[in-house]
């Protein structure tokens, strides 16, 4: 796989929401490093996701693991957020706040979202999330939702090829959801990432009105579809963070950080164990 040939960072200007960074070979090396740590964080926490543990305890373990890797949880202090992860259970679509009182039980499904950041002058971010099943009594409908969510992410990644349009990713993600009879929460999207946590471009997970820019070598962004068993509508709770499905039906999300190369893409946050 060929890497971007640029040695100097450039910016694509013809995007409605602002410039898109076209990263360099060295940038990709940093992203590979932090992406690996992000994936390993989710690998590390997997055996701890069991009935009886609180989401706050999971967050403490994640925080300790990140700091042990000489990284910083980018979410701590981000717009006032205080935790190293977002942990979203069952009908929580995204941004679930870890809590001492939220105890996982047999049959729950859980999304854990982490963004470690390199601790040093180059603050590169690796963003990824994964679904976990708690215990051994997982309803068939929950298993099927997780399966569809993984396939939606996989389809979006397959569409993220140089020469395609940004909108091709959304078409691919959305088609999988439609095939399963699910909806996608359209209030949230993927995003550019690198030295900045959230950057251009916005990555929509359904067919967009505008297909957007051509995918070029050097682009780095997340793909992170949220699939709902019921309607796509969500709402944010009074805590300002927790987003739930309005119909209280199950929701699931999966996320990777990817980079476009000259002849394909790299999944920076791909796990070697799952």
């Amino acid at each position: 796989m060929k890497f971007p040939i640029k040695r100097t960072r450039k910016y694509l200007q013809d995007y409605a929401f602002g410039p898109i960074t076209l990263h360099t070979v060295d940038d990709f090396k940093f992203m590979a490093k932090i992406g690996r740590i992000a994936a390993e964080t989710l690998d590390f926490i997997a055996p701890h996701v069991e009935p009886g543990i609180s989401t706050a305890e999971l967050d403490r373990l994640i925080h300790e693991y990140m700091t042990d890797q000489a990284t910083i949880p980018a979410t701590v202090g981000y717009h006032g957020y205080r935790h190293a992860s977002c942990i979203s259970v069952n009908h929580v679509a995204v941004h679930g706040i870890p809590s001492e009182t939220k105890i996982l039980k047999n049959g729950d499904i859980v999304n854990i979202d982490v963004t470690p950041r390199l601790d040093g002058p180059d603050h590169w971010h690796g963003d990824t999330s994964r679904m976990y099943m708690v215990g051994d009594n997982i309803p068939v409908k929950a298993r099927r939702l997780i399966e569809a969510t993984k396939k939606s992410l996989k389809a979006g990644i397959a569409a993220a090829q140089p020469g395609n349009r940004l909108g091709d990713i959304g078409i691919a993600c959305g088609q999988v959801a439609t095939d399963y009879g699910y909806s996608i929460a359209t209030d949230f999207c993927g995003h550019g990432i690198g030295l900045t946590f959230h950057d251009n471009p916005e990555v929509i997970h359904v067919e967009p009105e505008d297909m957007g820019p051509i995918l070029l070598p050097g682009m780095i962004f997340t793909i992170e579809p949220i699939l709902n068993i019921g309607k796509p509508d969500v709402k944010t709770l009074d805590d300002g963070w927790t987003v739930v499905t309005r119909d209280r039906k199950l929701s699931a999300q999966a996320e990777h950080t990817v980079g476009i190369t000259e002849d394909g893409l790299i999944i920076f946050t791909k796990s070697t164990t799952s």
Side-chain angles (χ1 to χ4, degrees):
M1 180 174 289
K2 296 180 180 179
F3 285 78
I5 60 174
K6 291 176 287 297
R7 293 291 176 179
T8 302
R9 203 171 297 141
K10 297 183 180 180
Y11 302 91
L12 178 66
Q13 301 293 338
D14 59 343
Y15 178 60
F17 300 102
I20 299 173
T21 305
L22 301 179
H23 294 85
T24 68
V25 174
D26 288 339
D27 295 344
F28 269 55
K29 291 177 181 177
F30 280 116
M31 287 301 296
K33 178 180 179 179
I34 193 60
R36 175 182 53 79
I37 294 171
E40 290 173 350
T41 301
L42 293 185
D43 292 340
F44 158 77
I45 204 62
H48 300 281
V49 183
E50 294 184 332
I53 195 169
S54 71
T55 55
E57 178 61 19
L58 290 174
D59 186 70
R60 280 191 289 270
L61 291 168
I62 288 168
H63 195 293
E64 291 172 4
Y65 183 84
M66 286 187 188
T67 55
D68 286 347
Q69 312 309 309
T71 65
I72 296 171
T75 51
V76 174
Y78 185 78
H79 294 293
Y81 196 77
R82 297 183 297 167
H83 305 278
S85 62
C86 293
I87 304 180
S88 304
V89 183
N90 294 334
H91 70 284
V92 179
V94 68
H95 299 162
I97 300 175
S99 168
E100 301 288 356
T101 60
K102 184 60 181 179
I103 307 300
L104 298 185
K105 62 182 184 298
N106 201 334
D108 284 341
I109 61 172
V110 184
N111 178 269
I112 300 181
D113 190 339
V114 298
T115 309
R117 186 185 76 202
L118 290 180
D119 186 8
D122 294 313
H123 293 319
W124 296 93
H125 297 72
D127 197 0
T128 185
S129 82
R130 190 182 304 173
M131 294 300 300
Y132 299 84
M133 294 183 285
V134 183
D136 55 6
N137 189 29
I138 309 300
V140 172
K141 65 179 181 180
R143 291 181 181 273
R144 187 172 183 270
L145 176 63
I146 291 174
E147 174 186 89
T149 304
K150 290 179 178 179
K151 287 184 177 180
S152 180
L153 174 59
K154 185 177 181 179
I157 289 171
Q161 298 296 322
N164 283 357
R165 293 277 180 179
L166 187 65
D168 288 318
I169 298 170
I171 292 172
C173 290
Q175 186 59 57
V176 173
T178 298
D179 289 346
Y180 273 82
Y182 300 145
S183 63
I184 285 186
T186 54
D187 288 26
F188 298 90
C189 61
H191 52 88
I193 192 169
L195 287 170
T196 302
F197 191 168
H198 292 92
D199 203 351
N200 293 319
E202 292 187 350
V203 182
I204 307 301
H205 302 110
V206 295
E207 183 173 358
E209 294 181 3
D210 182 343
M211 290 296 288
I214 293 173
L215 298 177
L216 298 175
M219 288 183 177
I220 296 175
F221 49 81
T222 70
I223 304 173
E224 45 184 303
I226 301 171
L227 274 65
N228 297 342
I229 282 183
K231 296 179 180 180
D233 307 289
V234 296
K235 68 175 182 179
T236 303
L237 300 185
D238 292 341
D239 61 27
W241 287 101
T242 308
V243 177
V244 301
T245 56
R246 285 189 176 273
D247 57 15
R248 292 300 195 271
K249 293 184 178 180
L250 292 177
S251 183
Q253 184 183 32
E255 175 185 14
H256 275 309
T257 298
V258 303
I260 304 297
T261 66
E262 292 185 326
D263 60 352
L265 92 166
I266 294 172
I267 305 173
F268 293 117
T269 51
K270 186 175 182 179
S271 170
T272 58
T273 64
S274 64

